[in-house]
Amino acid sequence: APEGEPMEEVLEPGSRAPSLVVVLVWDAGGRYVLDLHPDEWPNLRAMIPHGTWYEEAFVGSSPSTTAPVHATLGTGAFPRLHGVMDNFVRRPDGEVRDPLSAGIDGLLLPTFADVYSEALDHRPVIGTVATLAWHLGMMGHGSRYSPSARHVAVLRQSTEDTGLEGKDWGLPGVHAPYFVSPGYVRDLPPLEAYAGFSDAADGTVDGLWRGHRFEDLRGGFDTPARIPYQARLIEEVVKREGFGQDDVPDLLFLNFKLIDEIGHLFTASSVEMADAIRVQDAHLPGFVRFLDEVAGRGRWAMLVTADHGHTASPEVSGGFPIKIKVLQQLLEDTWSRGSGPVAERIRPSWVFENPDTIEVDGLFLEEISSWLAGLTRGETAPDAAGLSGEERGERAFAAAFPGTLFTDRPPAF
């Protein structure tokens, strides 16, 4: 981990208005995840007495996933208004896709950064350094909202394939016309240069991280090496683009996604997750010192937050996994009449039914919902061997109902 002053000695309250405001998202680093590893974030804990710490807040979307929550961070609105309902939505053309895959227009409302930049004649420097286009929602539309905007955006999603990171920092072509993506970001040290950081993160230098080969984890991108790799990029962008260099407050939006990736791969309660939180936390003092250098000691403000949490292993949570592939196969085996797949995509809180199949085969959403509500754990678990006879017969879902039920109902917020 990076060495330096303890966090308590680094922080100092500012006496003037900030020249730089930073929004730092620990993707999937919600309080449940942090509380599973209470000893791994001493630097974040040390920041609490120096700022404002929110213990309770409304969750603006269900499921609480990356795309909608970043859009909520940017707009201050709930998904029903900003339009990014989930990581996948049914687009106007009928396809179920990433809400921003066709462009930033998938975000229906202007963000704070959009309005703020225009109000100050685009004098503030505004930018995002993140991984996926979903993260653009916390910054905004760039020149799509105001033609004079020159907002910087650096992602690692440099292909048009939804959800797939590229091998270099860049920007998907569909977003490139509306943001500035500087070419120098591809001249920085490659990910391989930080392999030793991952190797040492588990306390043993043996060419592996927790027994995992780097090449099996996207060349090390899904290891602790991602933290210094991205931190180096952020520093370069901040210095070259002039963040925090005058009295006009600039806005910098950052997303570190390692915690989220590790949760998907190994669960939130894993030893790998402990490593991920520890190296993310160890980055904080150095980043604070860097902000002091570029913006002036005490002349910046930072919001550290998460977009959602993650799930612990069943041994820790007491729950059981429902495998999407198993549920998908059950749907098709039970309801398919040969006209095509019944479900286009299954998400944590809903199923996107295929409207063509439903219409052609004369299926009714009410009947499918009733069937889903009656499914048992034994039918939906990927491996039911660990369930007792009583557990196998328990219902998998508390409720299931057709979305048409909400058509005429007022929103909750």
Side-chain angles (χ1 to χ4, degrees):
E3 297 180 358
E5 304 170 74
M7 181 61 85
E8 292 87 346
E9 298 178 18
V10 173
L11 293 170
E12 182 176 295
S15 58
R16 298 171 59 190
S19 62
L20 175 60
V21 177
V22 180
V23 177
L24 173 59
V25 178
W26 285 13
D27 204 301
R31 285 301 306 275
Y32 175 73
V33 176
L34 296 182
D35 288 345
L36 289 169
H37 307 277
D39 298 327
E40 307 300 344
W41 43 286
N43 293 312
L44 177 61
R45 182 176 286 108
M47 295 176 74
I48 295 173
H50 298 271
T52 300
W53 181 255
Y54 286 94
E55 286 285 348
E56 298 181 14
F58 282 113
V59 175
S61 60
S62 180
S64 296
T65 52
T66 297
V69 179
H70 279 77
T72 292
L73 284 171
T75 63
F78 289 115
R80 69 179 181 88
L81 296 177
H82 63 58
V84 183
M85 305 297 292
D86 186 19
N87 290 349
F88 294 90
V89 299
R90 191 176 296 282
R91 299 279 301 175
D93 60 8
E95 290 189 22
V96 176
R97 287 186 291 164
D98 172 343
L100 301 181
S101 62
I104 198 65
D105 284 354
L107 180 61
L108 303 182
L109 294 180
T111 63
F112 171 77
D114 287 330
V115 177
Y116 172 71
S117 179
E118 187 175 54
L120 273 69
D121 296 323
H122 307 295
R123 288 181 294 140
V125 183
I126 295 176
T128 297
V129 179
T131 304
L132 300 172
W134 292 338
H135 304 141
L136 290 174
M138 62 177 167
M139 180 174 69
H141 298 79
S143 63
R144 186 70 181 89
Y145 178 78
S146 181
S148 298
R150 298 284 294 168
H151 300 169
V152 177
V154 181
L155 307 176
R156 209 169 183 265
Q157 185 179 347
S158 55
T159 73
E160 296 300 335
D161 297 325
T162 298
L164 297 178
E165 290 87 354
K167 293 183 179 180
D168 297 302
W169 299 113
L171 200 62
V174 71
H175 298 291
Y178 308 115
F179 304 95
V180 176
S181 186
Y184 60 78
V185 299
R186 287 179 285 279
D187 297 328
L188 298 176
L191 180 60
E192 292 78 10
Y194 302 94
F197 184 87
S198 285
D199 192 355
D202 59 5
T204 303
V205 179
D206 56 2
L208 303 171
W209 171 56
R210 296 294 178 184
H212 310 296
R213 301 189 311 162
F214 303 131
E215 54 266 37
D216 294 336
L217 296 172
R218 286 190 291 179
F221 196 51
D222 290 343
T223 74
R226 186 193 292 210
I227 303 303
Y229 174 57
Q230 186 171 350
R232 175 69 179 83
L233 165 72
I234 291 168
E235 292 185 4
E236 192 73 15
V237 171
V238 168
K239 288 186 291 187
R240 291 214 191 191
E241 302 301 327
F243 283 90
Q245 296 304 300
D246 55 32
D247 290 332
V248 179
D250 301 326
L251 305 179
L252 178 63
F253 300 90
L254 306 175
N255 176 284
F256 279 85
K257 200 170 173 59
L258 178 64
I259 291 174
D260 185 47
E261 301 289 7
I262 296 306
H264 285 297
L265 290 169
F266 304 109
T267 79
S269 52
S270 64
V271 66
E272 290 88 351
M273 180 62 84
D275 284 353
I277 295 173
R278 184 168 60 255
V279 299
Q280 183 72 74
D281 184 77
H283 165 258
L284 283 174
F287 187 52
V288 167
R289 289 193 296 274
F290 172 73
L291 293 177
D292 283 342
E293 292 171 7
V294 297
R297 195 168 179 95
R299 290 213 59 211
W300 52 268
M302 180 164 61
L303 166 67
V304 182
T305 188
D307 52 347
H308 55 81
H310 234 305
T311 306
S313 68
E315 292 77 15
V316 173
S317 68
F320 78 101
I322 297 174
K323 201 71 171 178
I324 285 180
K325 289 183 178 180
V326 173
L327 186 57
Q328 179 90 42
Q329 194 60 54
L330 280 171
L331 270 166
E332 301 306 327
D333 290 346
T334 305
W335 295 96
S336 177
R337 302 293 185 265
S339 298
V342 176
E344 293 184 70
R345 183 177 288 270
I346 297 178
R347 296 292 296 149
S349 294
W350 55 69
V351 178
F352 285 103
E353 301 287 3
N354 186 334
D356 295 334
T357 299
I358 297 294
E359 182 178 349
V360 170
D361 292 339
L363 303 178
F364 293 95
L365 295 180
E366 292 82 359
E367 293 178 353
I368 297 176
S369 298
S370 179
W371 170 81
L372 282 167
L375 289 177
T376 66
R377 292 190 178 192
E379 291 173 306
T380 57
D383 182 3
L387 297 175
S388 67
E390 182 178 353
E391 290 172 329
R392 287 174 55 85
E394 292 177 355
R395 287 174 53 182
F397 304 107
F401 36 79
T404 52
L405 197 65
F406 294 105
T407 301
D408 299 319
R409 290 182 178 271
F413 295 98

